[in-house]
Amino acid sequence: MIRYPNGKSYQPIQQIGTKKRISGESSYSNRGMTLEADLNETNQYYLVNGIAVIHKKPTPVQIVNVDYPKRSAAVIKEAYFKQSSTTDYNGVYKGRYIDFEAKETKSTTSFPLKNFHEHQIEHMKQVEKQGGICFVIISAFGSVYYLSASDLFFFWERQKQNGRKSIRKDELMETGHLMTLGYSPRIDYIKVVETLHFSDESE
Amino acid sequence: MIRYPNGKSYQPIQQIGTKKRISGESSYSNRGMTLEADLNETNQYYLVNGIAVIHKKPTPVQIVNVDYPKRSAAVIKEAYFKQSSTTDYNGVYKGRYIDFEAKETKSTTSFPLKNFHEHQIEHMKQVEKQGGICFVIISAFGSVYYLSASDLFFFWERQKQNGRKSIRKDELMETGHLMTLGYSPRIDYIKVVETLHFSDESE
């Protein structure tokens, strides 16, 4: 069980009327808090404390029909969700460009690569080539991991070579960086960025 | 008159049924090409040539009602445009974080500061503090200028002090960097970034 420094447990909030938690199922979404909400709080913490400026991009939407009523705000009457060609989060830390995607899985044995699509991998490769700091935050097996984009590319290429469509649990534990969940910031991924890219032994 | 290197003129496309161009009015939008379209083409050029990875963020939309029809894509039935709390464009160049906003004016005498709102200025200040490269691209008086965020802050503060609500034409010409419009890339703002932040005399 994960505990916040204040002793508050990070366990699922069992709400009245919800299904009982299935044994062995330990996805982030079952904890009553979402990965996205925790990252938003983390980014807000970084922002107000002057640590980093990272925002989630708006959901891409294809607008088809807009109504402009007199004397009131425009209403979008028809629109569709579009697949993003980039990642969801980006921003700046100590002048450097930061770019990442966050994903979660309910699987207890591996992280499925179908969580990413080719366009996003392409984008991450472009960012890496341009010297940006690129990674993914993966919530799996009851923990949250920081996986460098270069490591993700390895598993992505392997999928193309031998067809294995996921990252095994032990592989993620070995190549990813386990992030201890805190109270504030909740998911301190900048700490990993600092260690990997800014400390003396880095790069 | 501005000409592309291929001799093609950058003049307004006079379409049938549109109003005649008003003398003295020389906004970007009257040229039959938009500033946004030119920046998108420029970013595409940077991307395919491995020069920089810069994208326009999706338009922020507040989704209120979504229909999930069987066997077809979800349809957003009610949504509203939201004011962005950041700028429209960001990305990476040589590892550094790049962040900018693009604005145009039809005024022939000055650039109105009401094109920006306090939230955006706040965001730009946070980016500057974090060591990011931040600026605005202004289309005005028949030209396109690169204005560093720090210079924009000066005019923004002056507005608060003495109430002048715009940047005078001569001020923009003096503090901004005039960008010659090209064919490809159309608006080579990375050239200015390179001169200001990466050349020997910079920073």
Side-chain angles (χ1 to χ4, degrees):
Chain A
M1 188 193 294
I2 297 150
R3 284 193 179 278
Y4 284 123
N6 65 358
K8 197 177 147 203
S9 115
Y10 202 68
Q11 275 292 308
I13 296 158
Q14 198 65 268
Q15 283 172 335
I16 296 151
T18 59
K19 276 190 292 181
K20 275 212 178 122
R21 192 160 175 250
I22 298 148
S23 160
E25 191 190 10
S26 62
S27 91
Y28 207 96
S29 52
N30 285 334
R31 292 205 196 96
M33 310 186 78
T34 68
L35 178 59
E36 183 180 329
D38 276 4
L39 285 171
N40 286 346
E41 288 230 5
T42 300
N43 292 339
Q44 190 59 26
Y45 174 89
Y46 290 153
L47 191 66
V48 299
N49 290 285
I51 295 165
V53 182
I54 319 269
H55 290 277
K56 185 174 191 293
K57 291 184 193 171
T59 306
V61 155
Q62 180 71 48
I63 298 165
V64 174
N65 187 15
V66 185
D67 199 25
Y68 297 92
K70 278 180 194 163
R71 278 178 286 276
S72 63
V75 188
I76 299 161
K77 288 290 194 186
E78 186 188 355
Y80 298 89
F81 294 103
K82 272 197 301 187
Q83 200 177 51
S84 173
S85 56
T86 66
T87 46
D88 272 358
Y89 299 86
N90 72 2
V92 56
Y93 173 64
K94 291 185 177 174
R96 291 284 295 277
Y97 177 71
I98 305 291
D99 190 297
F100 68 94
E101 184 69 32
K103 293 291 180 190
E104 46 195 307
T105 183
K106 293 185 184 192
S107 163
T108 55
T109 53
S110 65
F111 176 79
L113 288 165
K114 69 169 192 288
N115 276 290
F116 299 101
H117 51 85
E118 190 70 46
H119 268 117
Q120 287 182 317
I121 302 287
E122 249 338 286
H123 170 73
M124 292 187 216
K125 284 187 178 169
Q126 286 158 342
V127 167
E128 285 260 299
K129 251 176 83 177
Q130 200 49 241
I133 295 167
C134 193
F135 53 93
V136 290
I137 291 176
I138 293 176
S139 169
F141 327 125
S143 299
V144 182
Y145 298 89
Y146 173 116
L147 184 70
S148 293
S150 52
D151 291 320
L152 176 65
F153 300 156
F154 169 81
F155 296 116
W156 192 262
E157 285 310 311
R158 185 181 64 179
Q159 177 180 2
K160 287 183 178 170
Q161 302 294 317
N162 78 5
R164 188 182 167 88
K165 290 178 169 58
S166 64
I167 305 171
R168 287 202 323 267
K169 183 177 177 176
D170 65 299
E171 289 173 334
L172 184 60
M173 288 170 76
E174 199 181 317
T175 54
H177 301 265
L178 178 69
M179 288 187 284
T180 315
L181 297 172
Y183 182 65
S184 195
R186 290 199 180 154
I187 301 170
D188 196 3
Y189 62 85
I190 284 293
K191 199 173 154 186
V192 184
V193 169
E194 177 66 33
T195 306
L196 294 179
H197 298 275
F198 291 89
S199 68
D200 286 348
E201 314 89 55
S202 73
E203 292 186 313
Chain B
M1 188 192 293
I2 298 151
R3 283 192 180 276
Y4 285 121
N6 64 357
K8 197 178 147 202
S9 113
Y10 202 70
Q11 273 292 308
I13 295 157
Q14 199 63 268
Q15 284 172 335
I16 295 150
T18 59
K19 276 192 290 182
K20 274 211 179 127
R21 191 157 176 252
I22 298 148
S23 160
E25 189 189 10
S26 62
S27 90
Y28 209 95
S29 53
N30 284 336
R31 291 204 197 98
M33 310 186 81
T34 69
L35 178 58
E36 183 180 330
D38 277 3
L39 285 171
N40 286 346
E41 289 231 5
T42 299
N43 292 338
Q44 190 59 25
Y45 174 88
Y46 289 154
L47 191 67
V48 300
N49 290 284
I51 294 164
V53 182
I54 318 268
H55 290 277
K56 185 174 191 293
K57 291 184 194 171
T59 307
V61 155
Q62 179 72 48
I63 298 164
V64 175
N65 187 15
V66 185
D67 199 24
Y68 297 93
K70 278 177 192 165
R71 278 179 286 275
S72 65
V75 189
I76 298 161
K77 288 290 195 183
E78 187 187 355
Y80 298 90
F81 294 102
K82 273 197 301 188
Q83 200 178 52
S84 174
S85 56
T86 64
T87 45
D88 272 357
Y89 299 87
N90 71 1
V92 55
Y93 172 64
K94 292 185 178 174
R96 291 284 296 276
Y97 177 73
I98 305 291
D99 191 298
F100 67 93
E101 185 67 33
K103 293 289 179 191
E104 47 196 306
T105 184
K106 293 185 183 192
S107 163
T108 55
T109 53
S110 65
F111 176 79
L113 288 166
K114 69 169 193 286
N115 277 290
F116 299 101
H117 52 85
E118 191 69 47
H119 268 117
Q120 287 182 317
I121 301 288
E122 250 338 287
H123 170 74
M124 291 186 217
K125 283 186 178 169
Q126 286 158 343
V127 167
E128 285 261 299
K129 252 177 84 178
Q130 200 49 243
I133 295 168
C134 193
F135 54 93
V136 291
I137 291 177
I138 293 176
S139 169
F141 327 125
S143 298
V144 182
Y145 298 90
Y146 174 115
L147 184 70
S148 293
S150 52
D151 291 321
L152 176 64
F153 300 156
F154 169 82
F155 296 116
W156 192 262
E157 285 311 311
R158 185 179 66 179
Q159 177 181 5
K160 287 182 175 169
Q161 303 293 318
N162 79 4
R164 187 182 168 88
K165 290 176 170 58
S166 65
I167 305 171
R168 287 200 323 265
K169 182 177 178 175
D170 65 299
E171 289 173 334
L172 184 61
M173 288 170 76
E174 199 180 318
T175 54
H177 302 265
L178 178 69
M179 288 186 285
T180 315
L181 297 172
Y183 181 66
S184 195
R186 290 198 180 157
I187 301 170
D188 196 2
Y189 61 86
I190 284 292
K191 198 173 154 188
V192 184
V193 168
E194 178 67 33
T195 307
L196 294 179
H197 298 275
F198 291 88
S199 68
D200 286 347
E201 314 88 55
S202 73
E203 292 187 308

